[in-house]
Amino acid sequence: MSTQPEIVPDTEYRGFIGLLPAAARPYALLARLDRPIGWWLLFWPCSWGVALAGGALQNWNLILWLLLGSVAMRGVGCVYNDIVDRDLDKQVERTRSRPLASGAVSLKAAWVWLGLLCLIGLTVWLQLNLVAKLVALGSLALVAAYPFMKRITWWPQAWLGMVFSWGALVGWLAIVPEFSPAMLLLYAGSIFWVIGFDTIYALQDREDDALAGIRSSALRLGDNVRFGVLVFYGLALASWIGVFWIVRPQLLGLAALIPFALHLLWQVGTLDSSDGEDALNKFRSNRFAGLLMFLACLVLGQAG
């Protein structure tokens, strides 16, 4: 009993997780249902694709399906990541209480839970047109490879960017089933955005990651983290300026990006790279950033 506070996250007793039966809580934690920021960040690029392709209002039910798919597939990614990283997680203070690392969930049970979440994802996948379905399948290889990236490259955030941004392609193709430069630029910009905010997130674990041999962009950038994040956010904005200009070649259309750009500048300008709590708050603020980008895409998509 004396070790319980060390291995059981406090989120197990608060909010949505606290309302669940005790036996179900470790599985909810394994899928990170206590941390909605992850599926919001996975969902926003999906919604951008739908909105910028001009289908947000007419296909609001598709956006809800994509939201459900984001929750389920983010859960799939987290469970799979924890299966692969269960030994590494034991060496990092922030992750050693995760259900697999702490022993609250067995490896066999984790695989069964992963399969159930995949069934939810399959239900969402069936709502898509053929082109979007085929492209959506392409993300599976990226998801499977991601947990190994931190072992072989200093830039696992770039791989995560490809994974988390894939929904931009799927959302666009679900409305307009053909590839276009605008769609690819939207995807590229989202990758740079993810690299930026996940570098901020990685600031929390720099010391533990260094001891455990885990690589990250936060470690690679060292004292230049703020400048690095600024560069990646700048590349994201440059990509999206290109997208907006292709969709609606007017300066007024570009003005829709101003609130989003100001938010990113606020993140970089006020970031304290030595403060893990500040890094976490800045990371979480990207949920609001994603909403600002969605509103910009909605305005432009409907106007175009």
Side-chain angles (χ1 to χ4, degrees), residues 22-246:
R25 292 173 190 169
Y27 296 93
L29 294 174
L30 190 59
R32 309 292 196 276
L33 298 183
D34 60 320
R35 300 178 184 177
I37 180 62
W39 47 261
W40 277 117
L41 295 176
L42 186 62
F43 164 70
W44 284 128
C46 301
S47 70
W48 301 343
V50 173
L52 203 55
L57 298 182
Q58 302 88 332
N59 299 274
W60 58 268
N61 57 327
L62 173 62
I63 292 181
L64 293 180
W65 276 113
L66 292 173
L67 177 59
L68 175 61
S70 298
V71 176
M73 296 313 295
R74 188 273 186 126
V76 167
C78 289
V79 175
Y80 177 70
N81 183 80
D82 285 9
I83 289 173
V84 174
D85 283 353
R86 59 191 183 277
D87 293 328
L88 281 177
D89 284 346
K90 296 175 183 178
Q91 304 176 50
V92 177
E93 180 67 28
R94 184 177 58 83
T95 60
R96 64 182 53 170
S97 64
R98 286 177 175 175
L100 268 172
S102 67
V105 174
S106 69
L107 182 60
K108 181 179 179 180
W111 279 112
V112 173
W113 179 220
L114 185 148
L116 293 174
L117 290 169
C118 284
L119 288 178
I120 298 175
L122 175 62
T123 303
V124 175
W125 181 78
L126 291 173
Q127 312 306 313
L128 305 174
N129 61 43
L130 179 59
V131 176
K133 282 178 180 175
L134 293 175
V135 171
L137 288 176
S139 68
L140 297 180
L142 295 174
V143 172
Y146 170 67
F148 303 99
M149 292 300 109
K150 68 189 71 173
R151 295 167 169 83
I152 62 177
T153 176
W154 287 103
W155 296 95
Q157 282 70 27
W159 198 272
L160 184 71
M162 291 188 288
V163 173
F164 264 58
S165 302
W166 201 262
L169 303 177
V170 176
W172 183 290
L173 293 170
I175 303 301
V176 182
E178 58 184 38
F179 288 81
S180 70
M183 179 194 72
L184 296 177
L185 270 177
L186 179 67
Y187 176 61
S190 183
I191 292 174
F192 291 128
W193 177 59
V194 174
I195 296 174
F197 72 61
D198 201 53
T199 297
I200 293 175
Y201 184 76
L203 288 171
Q204 301 173 87
D205 300 326
R206 282 198 292 189
E207 293 183 5
D208 285 342
D209 284 351
L211 291 173
I214 299 173
R215 301 179 181 185
S216 74
S217 55
L219 283 172
R220 185 62 174 174
L221 289 168
D223 295 334
N224 299 310
V225 167
R226 288 180 64 183
F227 178 73
V229 172
L230 178 64
V231 169
F232 288 121
Y233 281 171
L235 290 171
L237 285 169
S239 300
W240 291 332
I241 287 172
V243 175
F244 278 38
W245 190 259
I246 291 173

Side-chain angles (χ1 to χ4, degrees), residues 9 23 49 105 196 277 302-303:
V105 174
E277 184 176 354
Q302 294 303 309

